[in-house]
Amino acid sequence: MPLFLGVALAALTLASCEKELEQVHGSPKSSAAAAVLARPDLLTTGAWHQTGLTISAANEASKQVMTSDLFPHTKLSLLVTSATYKADGTYSLLRGVHSNGQASEPIDGTWRLNAGADSLIETHADNTRRLAVAELTDKAMRLTYTEPSADGKGATSTYIFSH
């Protein structure tokens, strides 16, 4: 199972990289600049809720990238029911209810987009995480995170959100 998840994560990484390259090369510079300026506003348009979770990794034997949809199999307490990014650079995440019925505690921190607006940097307590922004529109957000591995073949998780 860990090998399959690793393969699925690597596959997602390659697929998301191809899409990012297509978007960069397919857009004129003026359109790209306008999109970069609008992205913080798009992120702060209200509460987001998680609607998908996939993991991709390359299969060691076949070198083929495999993607698995984990969303239907993930505990509610691990999924984000509400993510609110505020214009002041703070955010609040609320996960689903635990299996014992206990409500999850909100996770509060700070956020910022890098200069190219292609990475979302979230900081909570002493932890900082950089998520690649694969898609950000007024209705959808897709963030990817590649987990590094010792062999250089990391797995990529894709978090899908909507309003």
Side-chain angles (χ1 to χ4, degrees), residues 38-61:
R39 283 185 171 218
D41 292 339
L42 291 172
L43 187 62
T44 60
T45 58
W48 296 92
H49 63 276
Q50 190 171 3
T51 57
L53 172 63
T54 61
I55 191 164
S56 298
N59 181 324
E60 288 184 30

Side-chain angles (χ1 to χ4, degrees), residues 26-98:
S27 302
K29 282 190 176 187
S30 61
S31 297
V36 168
L37 293 175
R39 283 185 171 218
D41 292 339
L42 291 172
L43 187 62
T44 60
T45 58
W48 296 92
H49 63 276
Q50 190 171 3
T51 57
L53 172 63
T54 61
I55 191 164
S56 298
N59 181 324
E60 288 184 30
S62 68
K63 306 289 188 230
Q64 184 177 18
V65 176
M66 299 175 66
T67 300
S68 297
D69 182 3
L70 300 181
F71 189 75
H73 309 290
T74 304
K75 293 180 181 179
L76 288 177
S77 61
L78 298 176
L79 298 174
V80 177
T81 58
S82 177
T84 306
Y85 295 89
K86 298 178 185 169
D88 67 358
T90 61
Y91 74 88
S92 182
L93 300 178
L94 185 60
R95 298 193 184 276
V97 178
H98 293 278

Side-chain angles (χ1 to χ4, degrees), residues 78-154:
L78 298 176
L79 298 174
V80 177
T81 58
S82 177
T84 306
Y85 295 89
K86 298 178 185 169
D88 67 358
T90 61
Y91 74 88
S92 182
L93 300 178
L94 185 60
R95 298 193 184 276
V97 178
H98 293 278
S99 58
N100 63 3
Q102 181 180 1
S104 297
E105 292 291 321
I107 299 169
D108 298 316
T110 60
W111 70 272
R112 68 180 173 86
L113 290 172
N114 69 343
D118 59 359
S119 290
L120 173 65
I121 298 105
E122 295 179 342
T123 302
H124 166 70
D126 292 334
N127 300 317
T128 298
R129 193 163 96 159
R130 180 180 297 263
L131 301 153
V133 179
E135 176 183 9
L136 181 56
T137 67
D138 60 338
K139 296 185 190 308
M141 176 171 60
R142 194 166 44 98
L143 305 171
T144 61
Y145 178 75
T146 301
E147 184 71 37
S149 64
D151 61 4
K153 301 176 185 177

